[in-house]
Amino acid sequence: MNRLTSTALVSTLTMLGGLSAASAEEINALVWCDHSDPALIEPFEKATGIKVNLKEYEGTAAGLAILDQSQPGDWDVMVIDAVDVGRAVDQGLLAELPADKLATADFFPETVMAANNTRDGKTYAVTEKFGYNTVAFNKSKVDPADMEDMATLTSGKYDGRIAIYDYYLPVLGELSMAAGVPTAEMTPASLDALKPSLMALRKASKSVSDVVASQTALATGEVDILVGGGEWLTAVLHAENPDLDWTIPKQGAVRWAQSLAVLAGSKKQDDALKFINYVTSPEGQARLATSSCYWGMPANKKAGDVLTTEQKAVLRWDQQADYLAKTQLYPVPDAALDKQMQDMWTEMLQN
Amino acid sequence: MASIEQTERNRAAGFVAPALIWVLAFFVLPFAVMIGMSFARLEGRTIVHGLFSDNYVRFFSEPSLFKGLTVSLEITLIVTVISVLLAYPLAWIIAMRVPARYQRLALMLAVLPFWTSYVVRSYAWLLVLGQNGVINKALMGLGVIAEPLAIASTRTATVIGFVHFFVMLLTLTIYANLIQLSPNYARAAADLGASAFATFRHIILPLTLPGVVTGAFLTFVLCIGDYITPQILGGNSELTLPQLIMLQLGRRGDFPMASALSIVLMAVVTLAYLACARWLKLDRV
C-alpha cells in the first residue's frame, strides 16, 4: 500500500470515527476467521476508538446456535453466508440497514445480491467478499487441461491424489452443476441422484479436509488436487509455491459470498454501522480481501485502487466477469434437504 | 458431648461443602442437562424438548453413526495395547537400569514432547508422515521402498499420533509404580532360584499391574474422547465418536443428537471403568 492510499485510509477512518474516537466503545462481532486479522481490525479500532471483540464461528447453523444461546444485545455485528441472510431475517435476527449509507453503488453488480440481502425493499445485510469453490491444483503435478473437466477427477488418472474440501454445500453444489442441475433447483430426488458421483469422488480421493489441512496437503504435496478449493485457499500459499493454481471447469463452479449484518438486538447500531462502512470501504475491502486467513474478491470494485497489481493478479481481478458468469451461488436447502445433504455427507465420510 | 459431636459434624460438612457445590454445579447439573437434551429432538432448525428416543434409535440404526463407536473403540484398543507394550519396557529401564541420579533427567527427556502444544505436535506428525515427509524420504533414500507410503490421513497416522502421546503418559504411571517396589522382592526370588523371567512374571508384573491398569484406563479415557488427533491426522478417512459429536454441533446445530452421542461415549467409559475397577488404584499414580 503506498503513502497515498495509507493517507486515504487514515482519512476515511478518521471520518468514520468522528467524535467517538475519544470514547471507549466496544462492539461484539460474530465473524469468520478472515476478520481476525489485526491488519483489518486495528486500523478501525485506532481511528474510531471502538474496540471490536471478535468471536469466530464456522457455518450458519453454528452461528445461529450461538445467537440462540445469547441474550439480545450480546452481539452487534455478524458475518453470514450471503445465501443465509434470508434465514436470519425470517428469525428476526437482523436489523434494517440504511441503504443510502452503504457503498453498494461501488460494488460489482453481481455482488450486490439484493435478492439475498434485502427483503420487501429493506436492506438487512451487505456483501463484503466473494470467491469460488471450484478445483485447486498443483500445476507442476497435474495437467491443467485435465482440470477443465470434472469427469477427469473420477477417471482413475488422479486416484489417491485428490482431497475434498470438508464442506457439503459447495461440493454437492459443484456435483449438482456437473449433473446439469442448477444449485438453486436442487431437490431431494436430484440430491439422491448425486450419491454415486459423490461416492466415486470419495473413492478417488485421499482425504476430506478442513481449510488448514487442505492447505497443508496441497502445500506439502500430500495431494495435488483439491475439490472445493479456489483462490481463497491457494492465494495465501502463492508466494511460497506459485505452482498452486485453480480453475473453473467447464461444468462451472459454486460461488461463495459472505455478508455483514447488524443484529436486531444490538444496542450499538451506530457503531456497528461504522464497522460495516469501514469493512466495505475500498481500504477495508482491500485488507479483507488479502486477510491472512484466506483471500477472496472484495465486493467493492473500488478496492482495486488500493490493491497492488500483484495482489490483483493472484485474485484474477481481470477475469471476474467471465467467472461470475460461469458460477452459481451456494445451494440454499430447507431444513429437510439440509438434513439429507448432511446425512449423505456423513455417509460419504464413513465410507 | 452431643454438642461437640454436632460441632464436629458441622465442621466436616463445612469442609466438604465447597467440593460438593463444585461437583454439583460443574458436573451433576451439566450432566443432567445433557441427559435431558439427549431426549429432545431437532425439528427443522428448532429444538423440541421432551422425552423422545429418536436420537438413540438413530444412533443404533444408522450405520454411519454407529460406525463412529466401533471406529473409536478399535483405535482406542490398538493405541492402548501398543502404548502399554512400549511404555512398560521404557519405564522399567528408567526405574531399574538407569542410575538413580540420572532418572530425573531420563524422565524429563521422556516427557519432553509434552512441552509442545498438542495441536502443533499433531500437525508436525502430519508433515513427518506425509508423502514428502521424513519417514518416506528416509525409506526411499535407503532403497527400502520405491514409492512413498500413504501414511498421513489414515488410521495408522492417527494411531501413531496417539501412541506418541500416550507412551509418555503411561511411562510416568508405570514408572511411579515400579519405583515403589522394594528390590528385596527380586533378590528373594533370585535366592529361591527363580529366573529373571519367572521373577518378572510372578513378582514384578502382578505388583505393578495396578499402575499398568491405571495408565491404560487413563489412556483409554483420553484416547476415546479425543477429537484433535483423528481430525488432523486421520484426514476424515473415518469418523470417531468425538468427530461425529463435533459434526452435530458445528454443522447441524443438533444439540440433542450431540448430547445423545456424548451420553453413549460416557456409557462406554463407565463400562471400561467397571471392567477394570478391580485393578484400578489411582492413589498409586
Side-chain angles (χ1 to χ4, degrees):
Chain A
M1 218 177 278
N2 59 32
R3 183 178 291 180
L4 185 66
T5 51
S6 297
T7 308
L9 172 65
V10 171
S11 310
T12 308
L13 291 170
T14 307
M15 279 195 303
L16 287 169
L19 294 174
S20 66
S23 64
E25 290 290 321
E26 288 190 9
I27 57 170
N28 298 324
L30 268 178
V31 297
W32 294 357
C33 70
D34 56 341
H35 288 67
S36 297
D37 189 343
L40 172 69
I41 300 299
E42 280 179 7
F44 173 77
E45 291 183 330
K46 278 184 186 160
T48 62
I50 300 170
K51 186 173 180 344
V52 185
N53 300 313
L54 302 163
K55 178 176 172 61
E56 288 181 25
Y57 80 95
E58 279 181 47
T60 303
L64 296 181
I66 292 170
L67 290 178
D68 193 42
Q69 294 155 30
S70 309
Q71 296 296 318
D74 283 356
W75 302 101
D76 303 296
V77 177
M78 180 185 198
V79 176
I80 184 168
D81 251 319
V83 292
D84 288 325
V85 170
R87 205 202 298 186
V89 172
D90 287 340
Q91 294 182 30
L93 294 171
L94 306 185
E96 185 186 351
L97 297 174
D100 57 330
K101 290 185 180 168
L102 301 174
T104 47
D106 298 331
F107 281 20
F108 292 98
E110 295 87 345
T111 64
V112 175
M113 299 178 69
N116 302 88
N117 291 326
T118 65
R119 172 74 60 84
D120 300 330
K122 294 177 181 174
T123 303
Y124 290 94
V126 59
T127 313
E128 55 170 13
K129 192 171 176 180
F130 71 98
Y132 309 98
N133 288 106
T134 176
V135 179
F137 56 93
N138 185 331
K139 63 186 174 194
S140 70
K141 304 275 185 65
V142 303
D143 181 353
D146 285 345
M147 300 299 105
E148 299 300 328
D149 187 353
M150 288 285 284
T152 320
L153 302 177
T154 47
S155 66
K157 185 173 178 183
Y158 294 108
D159 278 6
R161 296 165 62 189
I162 300 169
I164 304 171
Y165 173 46
D166 185 15
Y167 193 15
Y168 65 103
L169 285 175
V171 177
L172 290 174
E174 248 183 304
L175 292 177
S176 183
M177 288 175 71
V181 179
T183 55
E185 294 170 21
M186 290 177 75
T187 61
S190 77
L191 181 63
D192 260 343
L194 294 182
K195 195 170 175 179
S197 52
L198 180 65
M199 294 305 172
L201 188 60
R202 177 71 183 100
K203 200 176 167 197
S205 67
K206 184 170 191 181
S207 59
V208 184
S209 40
D210 62 18
V211 176
V212 178
S214 301
Q215 284 176 330
T216 307
L218 261 186
T220 58
E222 193 65 28
V223 297
D224 300 321
I225 300 165
L226 178 71
V227 177
E231 81 297 339
W232 56 274
L233 189 118
T234 56
V236 287
L237 301 170
H238 185 262
E240 208 176 300
N241 187 352
D243 286 331
L244 298 183
D245 205 348
W246 59 280
T247 189
I248 294 181
K250 67 180 184 187
Q251 290 88 349
V254 175
R255 186 165 80 242
W256 56 266
Q258 58 193 63
S259 290
L260 200 50
V262 174
L263 276 308
S266 169
K267 296 178 179 70
K268 297 168 183 170
Q269 303 219 354
D270 289 344
D271 289 345
L273 184 61
K274 278 179 195 165
F275 182 68
I276 288 183
N277 284 337
Y278 160 65
V279 173
T280 52
S281 70
E283 294 76 19
Q285 286 278 278
R287 289 171 183 271
L288 181 66
T290 55
S291 161
S292 58
C293 186
Y294 64 91
W295 285 31
M297 274 294 292
N300 189 333
K301 61 187 172 198
K302 283 198 172 173
D305 300 336
V306 185
L307 291 163
T308 65
T309 307
E310 193 186 1
Q311 287 170 333
K312 286 200 279 188
V314 173
L315 288 167
R316 309 259 182 91
W317 189 273
D318 295 331
Q319 286 109 300
Q320 290 304 314
D322 179 42
Y323 291 168
L324 284 165
K326 282 171 72 177
T327 53
Q328 296 176 10
L329 289 172
Y330 268 40
V332 191
D334 59 20
L337 185 60
D338 191 54
K339 183 179 179 303
Q340 191 186 341
M341 285 177 160
Q342 297 213 38
D343 286 346
M344 189 189 284
W345 193 256
T346 306
E347 193 182 334
M348 180 272 288
L349 290 171
Q350 285 291 44
N351 274 287
Chain B
M1 192 67 176
S3 89
I4 292 174
E5 272 180 16
Q6 185 63 39
T7 308
E8 284 298 314
R9 216 174 287 143
N10 289 344
R11 185 181 294 171
F15 280 125
V16 172
L20 202 62
I21 292 169
W22 181 271
V23 171
L24 281 172
F26 296 109
F27 179 71
V28 177
L29 189 63
F31 187 55
V33 170
M34 196 165 76
I35 289 177
M37 182 63 83
S38 76
F39 287 102
R41 138 198 301 177
L42 191 71
E43 284 182 4
R45 293 186 172 106
T46 310
I47 295 172
V48 179
H49 293 278
L51 273 176
F52 308 108
S53 58
D54 308 24
N55 298 318
Y56 293 100
V57 171
R58 268 188 66 204
F59 173 73
F60 287 105
S61 60
E62 284 186 22
S64 60
L65 291 175
F66 189 74
K67 192 180 171 190
L69 176 61
T70 57
V71 168
S72 287
L73 281 172
E74 284 167 16
I75 290 175
T76 302
L77 290 174
I78 293 168
V79 167
T80 306
V81 169
I82 295 175
S83 299
V84 169
L85 291 177
L86 291 176
Y88 200 104
L90 180 60
W92 190 85
I93 289 168
I94 295 174
M96 304 295 183
R97 287 286 176 264
V98 174
R101 63 180 181 279
Y102 293 123
Q103 284 186 6
R104 188 173 290 183
L105 177 67
L107 279 177
M108 194 191 78
L109 291 173
V111 300
L112 205 58
F114 269 125
W115 293 8
T116 55
S117 150
Y118 190 36
V119 176
V120 171
R121 205 163 50 235
S122 294
Y123 275 112
W125 269 116
L126 196 60
L127 298 177
V128 168
L129 300 172
Q131 297 256 30
N132 298 311
V134 179
I135 290 179
N136 270 320
K137 280 195 170 165
L139 291 175
M140 288 170 77
L142 292 169
V144 179
I145 53 172
E147 292 291 322
L149 299 172
I151 312 173
S153 302
T154 64
R155 179 186 287 195
T156 306
T158 303
V159 169
I160 289 172
F162 271 138
V163 167
H164 177 225
F165 180 79
F166 289 117
V167 162
M168 296 183 280
L169 180 78
L170 271 159
T171 301
L172 288 180
T173 59
I174 297 171
Y175 169 84
N177 218 232
L178 280 167
I179 205 71
Q180 291 174 33
L181 284 186
S182 167
N184 290 336
Y185 290 127
R187 285 182 198 137
D191 283 350
L192 293 169
S195 65
F197 179 74
T199 303
F200 173 77
R201 167 79 179 78
H202 296 291
I203 308 292
I204 308 290
L205 185 60
L207 287 172
T208 53
L209 204 55
V212 174
V213 174
T214 303
F217 177 70
L218 287 176
T219 302
F220 184 93
V221 173
L222 294 172
C223 185
I224 203 164
D226 189 281
Y227 164 77
I228 293 171
T229 301
Q231 183 67 21
I232 295 175
L233 291 173
N236 274 341
S237 52
E238 57 189 356
L239 297 179
T240 60
L241 211 45
Q243 286 177 291
L244 279 171
I245 293 170
M246 285 301 291
L247 207 63
Q248 308 306 318
L249 293 173
R251 284 274 167 80
R252 303 182 171 208
D254 192 346
F255 288 81
M257 190 68 211
S259 299
L261 295 176
S262 301
I263 296 292
V264 169
L265 190 59
M266 285 192 73
V268 170
V269 171
T270 306
L271 287 175
Y273 174 80
L274 293 173
C276 53
R278 185 179 154 196
W279 297 284
L280 275 179
K281 299 255 191 298
L282 293 170
D283 55 318
R284 297 245 189 146
V285 180

